[in-house]
Amino acid sequence: MRLKKTVLMLLAAVLLLAACAQQGDGGSQAGAYSFSTIEEVPKVEELSELPHEDIERFRRGLENISPSSCEDYYAGMITEFLNDEQLIDFSEITLEQDDLTLSPGKNNKSLSNLIFRIDLQMDTTKVIDNCDIAQDVSSQLMEYLSQDDVYYRFKAERCIVTTYDLNGYMIQTAERGYRNVKETVFKEQPQTEYDAQSVAYSFGEKNPEFVLDRFGAVPDTNELYMEFYVQDSYFGWGQQENQQQVDGLETIYGDIREYVLSEAAVGLYIEENNLTTMTVVFRNGILDNTYRDGIVDSGYLTFHSEL
């Protein structure tokens, strides 16, 4: 009997220590920062009470929420915001996840990786200054979302608000970016992706005029995609010198292709994702308009090749 009582006391002590250990390492708080729907996310005023050291776990807890599941929530929020607007109504919203963009200056991908695309509809028959009104409402809407919504504040990479007239013709587009150069919490990436990305990133480290901005596999096209920002210092001062440097980007593209394909980590990533083509994009405002994803886009020069 005494032995049985001793065993029970030891078991109770073990359970008590385990419970204390869980509280000590934040186990109970970790559960509080795991969200499955956007409705579970605290309001802005509650966020001010969150200890600074818990921000990382809080942000990672938001990763469990499906972006598409948030669209109805934002539709209601935007409709309510526009209630007092006589000329503009809400039309549609989509949340698009960007799995390619790196955090500025880092070999990591940001947790703020959602593109909010919001469409509004405007009755243009009653006013003349349509563009000014659309711009003003779009700016107010983006400010409202960034100030009043926690999920938007932590997850938005970009917001694009497009206003159309009643016939479906575009009046105006407004865009706001939220990339944080001081970010310290990053997305967890598969090791094979990170290893391949590190190869492309190292090309930029060895050639500082080319900064890796986007990297990854595009499943819909079986494409290995890389985008480099070209520093202004690469280009010359005159038009002729600039054109020579632009023409030289084809050689740089060849250098990048040879560099990344020489590394086993990239070969493994290509094989793992069944990639069949490579796309390298150079970005700078100096570059001519080029067709990119079917849209005339200023400031991009694109090269494609088979793998």
Side-chain angles (χ1 to χ4, degrees):
M1 179 66 70
R2 180 179 300 176
L3 178 60
K4 184 176 181 181
K5 182 182 289 188
T6 302
V7 170
L8 289 174
M9 290 176 63
L10 287 172
L11 179 60
V14 168
L15 291 173
L16 179 62
L17 287 171
C20 291
Q22 185 180 36
Q23 291 179 357
D25 67 9
S28 60
Q29 290 186 340
Y33 300 147
S34 180
F35 311 105
S36 57
T37 67
I38 192 169
E39 287 80 9
E40 298 173 359
V41 179
K43 302 300 181 184
V44 171
E45 53 270 20
E46 300 173 53
L47 191 65
S48 62
E49 302 174 5
L50 187 69
H52 179 74
E53 58 270 19
D54 288 351
I55 291 292
E56 178 175 347
R57 283 185 297 161
F58 181 89
R59 292 191 65 188
R60 295 201 184 282
L62 297 176
E63 295 301 289
N64 298 324
I65 301 174
S66 167
S68 61
S69 72
C70 302
E71 291 173 358
D72 287 343
Y73 170 87
Y74 282 109
M77 190 175 180
I78 296 167
T79 300
E80 183 177 352
F81 173 80
L82 295 171
N83 269 345
D84 296 331
E85 290 294 332
Q86 302 297 316
L87 302 173
I88 297 181
D89 293 315
F90 170 74
S91 178
E92 185 180 14
I93 182 170
T94 57
L95 271 62
E96 174 186 321
Q97 187 160 307
D98 177 4
D99 293 321
L100 299 177
T101 300
L102 275 63
S103 189
K106 304 285 197 312
N107 184 27
N108 303 95
K109 293 184 177 179
S110 175
L111 290 173
S112 301
N113 61 353
L114 294 186
I115 301 171
F116 285 67
R117 298 187 185 274
I118 302 170
D119 291 347
L120 306 178
Q121 189 175 59
M122 181 178 184
D123 184 351
T124 59
T125 62
K126 300 177 182 179
V127 290
I128 299 175
D129 51 345
N130 302 324
C131 289
D132 291 341
I133 293 174
Q135 174 67 47
D136 186 49
V137 171
S138 297
S139 297
Q140 290 180 36
L141 173 58
M142 289 186 284
E143 186 65 23
Y144 167 69
L145 291 171
S146 63
Q147 293 296 323
D148 284 42
D149 188 72
V150 171
Y151 186 78
Y152 181 95
R153 183 181 291 188
F154 280 121
K155 290 295 295 177
E157 174 193 311
R158 277 190 296 152
C159 182
I160 303 168
V161 181
T162 305
T163 306
Y164 298 88
D165 68 13
L166 299 180
N167 296 313
Y169 292 102
M170 187 178 72
I171 300 171
Q172 194 262 353
T173 296
E175 181 173 340
R176 185 174 295 184
Y178 300 98
R179 298 180 68 183
N180 182 6
V181 296
K182 297 182 179 179
E183 194 164 21
T184 57
V185 182
F186 305 105
K187 178 182 177 181
E188 293 181 358
Q189 297 179 242
Q191 191 61 47
T192 51
E193 178 186 81
Y194 184 77
D195 290 345
Q197 173 185 298
S198 297
V199 174
Y201 187 82
S202 70
F203 180 89
E205 290 182 312
K206 295 175 181 178
N207 302 272
E209 290 175 322
F210 301 91
V211 180
L212 185 66
D213 199 38
R214 307 182 80 206
F215 179 92
V218 183
D220 292 344
T221 56
N222 297 108
E223 176 183 8
L224 175 61
Y225 184 93
M226 288 174 278
E227 185 174 306
F228 290 84
Y229 175 73
V230 185
Q231 303 278 19
D232 291 342
S233 57
Y234 171 80
F235 299 97
W237 294 100
Q239 185 175 355
Q240 183 176 356
E241 188 178 355
N242 276 343
Q243 189 57 51
Q244 290 174 346
Q245 293 300 92
V246 170
D247 293 341
L249 288 175
E250 185 169 2
T251 300
I252 301 297
Y253 156 69
D255 293 342
I256 293 172
R257 177 184 167 86
E258 181 180 356
Y259 182 84
V260 298
L261 292 182
S262 68
E263 294 293 331
V266 177
L268 179 61
Y269 185 63
I270 289 171
E271 181 179 355
E272 184 180 83
N273 291 277
N274 299 312
L275 305 180
T276 57
T277 62
M278 175 187 290
T279 298
V280 175
V281 177
F282 297 106
R283 178 173 62 87
N284 186 290
I286 291 176
L287 299 171
D288 292 334
N289 289 353
T290 57
Y291 282 94
R292 181 168 177 263
D293 298 331
I295 302 172
V296 176
D297 211 353
S298 178
Y300 294 88
L301 184 62
T302 305
F303 295 93
H304 296 282
S305 63
E306 299 293 322
L307 289 172

